[in-house]
Amino acid sequence: NAGVTQTPKFRILKIGQSMTLQCAQDMNHNYMYWYRQDPGMGLKLIYYSVGAGITDKGEVPNGYNVSRSTTEDFPLRLELAAPSQTSVYFCASSRGAVTEQYFGPGTRLTVT
Amino acid sequence: AQSVTQPDIHITVSEGASLELRCNYSYGATPYLFWYVQSPGQGLQLLLKYFSGDTLVQGIKGFEAEFKRSQSSFNLRKPSVHWSDAAEYFCAVGGSGATNKLIFGTGTLLAVQP
């Protein structure tokens, strides 16, 4: 049982490039989330999903897109990378509503 | 507006001393409260949670927290800190809505002196 896995661990992008951050969970959780963590700011919710085919915006969705075609996977897409997207990105999952979230190890992204 | 405040950005304690990390929340409905810990370069690990019932909850690694509705607080405590407790601690609040969205505080960085 690997829990929540994220790839890559580190990535450096040039301004304007695009990339996809991968997230997978093997706990058969319905709910999945993407957060970004900036120093001194805590975690901010980017997008979330309550099941395959269902996604919705969180607090800071601009510049990102998501899809959820399977229960296991929840990729996050950056289309035109900007320096403001330099951050650490965490994926999380939970069984459902009113349950704890389980976090992946994070992806550290630098945009220069 | 819903929010979580962790007033202490950075705390230093001596090994073996007691610890209390503060968390205050603002939430319109019945809150569900969590404490997570993040070691350097790692993801977040759940320490403990409060959903209902006994307002004093026990977690992993010897931590406990007390929910005080009248003070809108959920402070984290440990009677004797170990050097391995050095990490960043996040308080989070969620509600009974179907989305299970969490609002996180900005974190408290704990340093432990030998």
Side-chain angles (χ1 to χ4, degrees):
Chain A
N1 189 332
V4 180
T5 57
Q6 292 183 239
T7 55
K9 285 186 166 44
F10 304 95
R11 183 73 185 268
I12 298 174
L13 280 183
K14 294 190 185 305
I15 294 171
Q17 287 184 321
S18 62
M19 77 163 294
T20 299
L21 281 66
Q22 301 292 344
C23 173
Q25 52 90 12
D26 62 359
M27 297 175 281
N28 200 32
H29 284 172
N30 289 318
Y31 288 36
M32 296 187 74
Y33 317 82
W34 274 105
Y35 294 90
R36 60 177 288 170
Q37 182 182 31
D38 301 301
M41 300 294 290
L43 278 76
K44 302 293 185 185
L45 183 64
I46 305 172
Y47 271 95
Y48 66 98
S49 168
V50 298
I54 306 170
T55 64
D56 205 350
K57 296 177 181 178
E59 190 179 355
V60 289
N62 292 345
Y64 307 94
N65 278 299
V66 294
S67 59
R68 183 101 181 266
S69 57
T70 67
T71 299
E72 295 77 19
D73 301 297
F74 190 40
L76 178 72
R77 179 85 177 160
L78 284 70
E79 289 295 349
L80 291 170
S84 61
Q85 294 176 305
T86 293
S87 188
V88 181
Y89 292 84
F90 288 100
C91 180
S93 72
S94 69
R95 185 163 37 86
V98 196
T99 59
E100 62 264 37
Q101 295 183 17
Y102 295 83
F103 284 80
T107 294
R108 184 175 295 274
L109 176 67
T110 302
V111 182
T112 62
Chain B
Q2 301 163 356
S3 65
V4 176
T5 301
Q6 294 181 246
D8 304 306
I9 297 172
H10 190 274
I11 284 181
T12 300
V13 299
S14 297
E15 193 168 16
S18 63
L19 172 70
E20 182 169 27
L21 303 182
R22 295 182 290 165
C23 173
N24 293 95
Y25 67 89
S26 173
Y27 200 79
T30 301
Y32 300 98
L33 296 153
F34 306 84
W35 276 99
Y36 284 87
V37 61
Q38 183 181 32
S39 298
Q42 304 295 315
L44 277 73
Q45 180 184 22
L46 181 70
L47 278 178
L48 48 78
K49 62 192 177 191
Y50 172 79
F51 287 163
S52 65
D54 192 347
T55 56
L56 183 64
V57 294
Q58 304 296 320
I60 62 171
K61 304 185 182 188
F63 285 92
E64 67 177 27
E66 186 170 11
F67 171 57
K68 293 185 177 180
R69 186 185 297 275
S70 62
Q71 298 177 19
S72 298
S73 69
F74 189 56
N75 294 348
L76 181 71
R77 301 193 293 250
K78 186 169 184 178
S80 177
V81 170
H82 188 262
W83 64 266
S84 60
D85 294 324
E88 189 155 24
Y89 292 80
F90 292 93
C91 180
V93 64
S96 57
T99 61
N100 202 33
K101 290 190 285 187
L102 293 182
I103 299 168
F104 282 85
T106 51
T108 298
L109 186 62
L110 174 66
V112 180
Q113 286 181 335

